[in-house]
Amino acid sequence: MLKKIGYGVGLFIVVLLAALASHYLFGLATGTRFNETQWAAAGAWFGGVMTFGAVAVALYQSNQAKERAERESRDSNQRNLNERLLHQEALARAEDRLATELDSGRRSEQTQTIAAVVAAIAEQPAVVRGLTTAVHLARRTPSEENYASRTAKYDIWQNSSGRLVAALQTALMVVDEPHVYEQVRRAGADCERLRRSMTDLYSLPFDEQIPRRQIHVNLNATLAHQGELIQVVRDYLRDSPKDSSIDPDQLMLW
């Protein structure tokens, strides 16, 4: 607004000075002076020129304001577009990070459940041998002490077997990779056969032989799943996106 007023005042001064100079030069050249009619005509011309100048300045200012508004609108639209693109990129990166973290957490959880299964399987040789030996002694030399030892060894085996069953059930609920799941399922089937063998051993009648061979076969079948589970999980981790929190060659307990 101030610029518009300044332009108008400047134009008025220029036109006024030009009119005065023209009048002076006209009088100097002709030796005559303007009468009232001539001054009225000159005033009308002067007013017209001033009006034209004011209109021209107004149009110029209006055009400048329009161009400035359009430029600011374009700049604003471009900024908004850039901000939306940056926001979308940030959201995409955040979603990628979240997906990576969730996948990493899921794989870590699955790995830990398999580690619990492997650890529980590793307990079986000692508790199976302990219960088998205690049952054999109680049958060979019946006594209160041997019966108590048999019961104690059975409780120890039952607790260990319960941990193995719980670890297997957890793994079956958590694991979603098909090959790992199938390996866990097979391990569960062999562990269940071993569990039935040991339960039958504890209640075996004295006139029947201890099925050592069957127990040995079931135990070895169960133990074989240790290495198989470790290998299938390592293969799964190697085929998955790299995760600095899980090293397939340095897994805890493995």
Side-chain angles (χ1 to χ4, degrees), residues 31-245:
T32 60
R33 300 178 65 84
F34 279 8
N35 56 29
E36 290 79 0
T37 302
Q38 291 173 322
W39 275 113
W45 276 98
F46 179 76
V49 171
M50 291 300 296
T51 301
F52 174 79
V55 171
V57 170
L59 290 175
Y60 174 77
Q61 291 294 317
S62 176
N63 184 63
Q64 290 293 312
K66 181 180 178 181
E67 291 180 354
R68 183 168 57 253
E70 291 177 350
R71 184 170 57 253
E72 291 177 352
S73 177
R74 288 194 301 270
D75 293 342
S76 177
N77 292 336
Q78 186 62 43
R79 285 195 301 271
N80 291 336
L81 177 60
N82 292 338
E83 290 175 358
R84 285 197 299 270
L85 292 176
L86 291 175
H87 181 64
Q88 291 174 356
E89 291 177 359
L91 285 178
R93 288 194 298 269
E95 290 176 356
D96 290 341
R97 286 195 301 270
L98 178 60
T100 300
E101 291 173 0
L102 290 176
D103 184 64
S104 173
R106 179 179 58 81
R107 288 186 286 116
S108 177
E109 183 181 14
Q110 293 185 55
T111 301
Q112 293 305 317
T113 59
I114 299 301
V117 172
V118 172
I121 290 176
E123 297 178 3
Q124 297 310 301
V127 295
V128 167
R129 283 195 299 268
L131 178 57
T132 303
T133 301
V135 170
H136 173 71
L137 290 176
R139 289 162 60 88
R140 188 183 65 180
T141 310
S143 66
E144 292 294 332
E145 181 180 355
N146 287 339
Y147 288 153
S149 175
R150 183 187 67 168
T151 301
K153 294 297 184 181
Y154 178 77
D155 290 340
I156 293 173
W157 167 81
Q158 197 171 40
N159 290 335
S160 177
S161 180
R163 286 193 294 274
L164 176 55
V165 170
L168 286 166
Q169 290 176 344
T170 301
L172 289 173
M173 289 187 294
V174 172
V175 171
D176 59 4
E177 202 284 325
H179 296 297
V180 180
Y181 182 90
E182 177 61 21
Q183 193 63 49
V184 173
R185 189 194 64 77
R186 290 173 52 198
D190 285 334
C191 290
E192 180 58 28
R193 281 189 283 271
L194 176 62
R195 181 181 175 84
R196 286 199 301 267
S197 296
M198 300 310 295
T199 301
D200 293 342
L201 172 66
Y202 181 72
S203 58
L204 186 70
F206 277 82
D207 58 347
E208 294 185 14
Q209 293 291 326
I210 295 177
R212 295 181 182 275
R213 178 177 176 79
Q214 187 60 45
I215 292 173
H216 182 73
V217 169
N218 291 338
L219 177 60
N220 285 342
T222 300
L223 293 176
H225 290 290
Q226 279 185 297
E228 294 173 356
L229 283 170
I230 292 171
Q231 188 58 49
V232 74
V233 171
R234 283 180 171 173
D235 293 342
Y236 167 59
L237 291 177
R238 286 195 178 95
D239 294 338
S240 300
K242 291 298 182 182
D243 180 4
S244 60
S245 65

Side-chain angles (χ1 to χ4, degrees), residues 17-35 37-39 42:
L17 292 176
L20 292 175
S22 299
H23 174 66
Y24 175 77
L25 293 174
F26 179 79
L28 184 64
T30 61
T32 60
R33 300 178 65 84
F34 279 8
N35 56 29
T37 302
Q38 291 173 322
W39 275 113

